[in-house]
Coordinates of all heavy atoms in Angstrom, one line a residue:
E94 N 80.8 17.6 119.2 CA 79.4 17.2 118.8 C 78.5 18.6 118.5 O 77.6 18.5 117.7 CB 78.7 16.4 120.1 CG 79.4 15.1 120.1 CD 79.0 14.1 119.2 OE1 78.2 14.5 118.2 OE2 79.5 13.0 119.2
A95 N 78.8 19.6 119.5 CA 77.9 20.9 119.3 C 78.2 21.6 118.0 O 77.4 22.4 117.6 CB 78.2 21.7 120.5
I96 N 79.3 21.5 117.4 CA 79.7 22.2 116.2 C 79.6 21.3 114.8 O 79.9 21.8 113.9 CB 81.0 22.8 116.3 CG1 82.2 21.7 116.2 CG2 81.2 23.7 117.5 CD1 83.5 22.3 116.2
K97 N 79.1 20.2 114.9 CA 79.1 19.2 113.7 C 78.2 19.7 112.7 O 78.5 19.5 111.5 CB 78.8 17.7 114.2 CG 79.9 17.1 114.9 CD 79.5 15.7 115.5 CE 79.3 14.8 114.3 NZ 79.0 13.4 114.8
F98 N 77.1 20.2 113.1 CA 76.2 20.6 111.9 C 76.3 22.0 111.4 O 76.3 23.1 112.2 CB 74.7 20.4 112.4 CG 73.6 20.6 111.3 CD1 73.5 19.7 110.3 CD2 72.9 21.8 111.3 CE1 72.5 19.9 109.3 CE2 72.0 22.0 110.3 CZ 71.9 21.1 109.2
I99 N 76.5 22.3 110.1 CA 76.5 23.6 109.6 C 75.4 23.7 108.6 O 75.1 23.0 107.8 CB 77.8 23.7 108.7 CG1 79.1 23.5 109.6 CG2 77.9 25.1 108.1 CD1 79.3 24.6 110.7
S100 N 74.6 24.8 108.8 CA 73.4 25.2 107.9 C 73.9 25.5 106.5 O 74.7 26.5 106.4 CB 72.6 26.3 108.6 OG 71.5 26.5 107.8
M101 N 73.4 24.8 105.6 CA 74.0 24.9 104.2 C 72.8 25.7 103.4 O 72.1 25.1 102.7 CB 74.4 23.6 103.6 CG 75.1 23.8 102.3 SD 76.7 24.7 102.4 CE 77.6 23.6 103.5
T102 N 72.9 27.1 103.4 CA 71.9 27.8 102.8 C 72.6 28.1 101.2 O 73.8 27.8 101.1 CB 71.8 29.2 103.4 OG1 73.1 29.9 103.4 CG2 71.3 29.1 104.8
P103 N 71.8 28.5 100.3 CA 72.3 28.7 98.9 C 73.4 29.7 99.0 O 74.4 29.6 98.2 CB 71.0 29.3 98.2 CG 69.9 28.6 98.9 CD 70.3 28.5 100.5
Q104 N 73.3 30.8 99.8 CA 74.3 31.8 99.9 C 75.6 31.2 100.5 O 76.8 31.4 99.9 CB 73.9 32.9 100.8 CG 74.9 34.1 101.0 CD 74.5 35.2 101.8 OE1 73.3 35.2 102.4 NE2 75.2 36.2 102.1
M105 N 75.5 30.3 101.5 CA 76.7 29.6 102.0 C 77.4 28.7 100.9 O 78.5 28.8 100.8 CB 76.3 28.8 103.2 CG 77.4 27.9 103.8 SD 78.7 28.8 104.6 CE 77.9 29.0 106.3
A106 N 76.5 28.0 100.2 CA 77.0 27.1 99.1 C 77.7 27.8 98.0 O 78.9 27.6 97.6 CB 75.8 26.3 98.5
A107 N 77.2 29.1 97.6 CA 77.8 29.9 96.6 C 79.2 30.4 97.1 O 80.1 30.5 96.3 CB 76.8 30.9 96.2
S108 N 79.0 30.8 98.3 CA 80.3 31.4 98.9 C 81.5 30.5 98.9 O 82.6 30.7 98.7 CB 80.1 32.0 100.3 OG 79.1 33.0 100.3
L109 N 81.1 29.2 99.3 CA 82.2 28.1 99.4 C 82.7 27.8 98.1 O 83.9 27.5 97.9 CB 81.5 26.8 100.0 CG 81.3 26.9 101.5 CD1 80.5 25.8 102.1 CD2 82.6 27.0 102.3
V110 N 81.8 27.8 97.0 CA 82.4 27.6 95.7 C 83.4 28.7 95.2 O 84.4 28.5 94.6 CB 81.2 27.6 94.5 CG1 81.6 27.4 93.3 CG2 80.4 26.3 94.9
G111 N 82.9 29.9 95.6 CA 83.8 31.0 95.2 C 85.1 31.0 96.0 O 86.2 31.2 95.4
I112 N 85.1 30.5 97.2 CA 86.3 30.4 98.1 C 87.2 29.3 97.4 O 88.4 29.5 97.3 CB 85.9 30.0 99.5 CG1 85.4 31.2 100.3 CG2 87.2 29.6 100.3 CD1 84.7 30.9 101.5
G113 N 86.5 28.3 96.9 CA 87.3 27.2 96.3 C 88.0 27.6 95.1 O 89.1 27.3 94.8
F114 N 87.3 28.5 94.2 CA 87.9 28.9 93.0 C 89.3 29.9 93.2 O 90.2 29.6 92.7 CB 86.9 29.7 92.3 CG 87.4 30.5 90.9 CD1 87.5 29.6 89.9 CD2 87.8 31.8 91.0 CE1 88.2 30.2 88.7 CE2 88.2 32.3 89.9 CZ 88.5 31.6 88.6

Side-chain angles (χ1 to χ4, degrees):
E94 293 286 0
I96 66 174
K97 285 174 68 176
F98 183 76
I99 300 295
S100 178
M101 191 58 64
T102 63
Q104 183 179 358
M105 172 74 79
S108 298
L109 288 170
V110 172
I112 290 171
F114 176 78

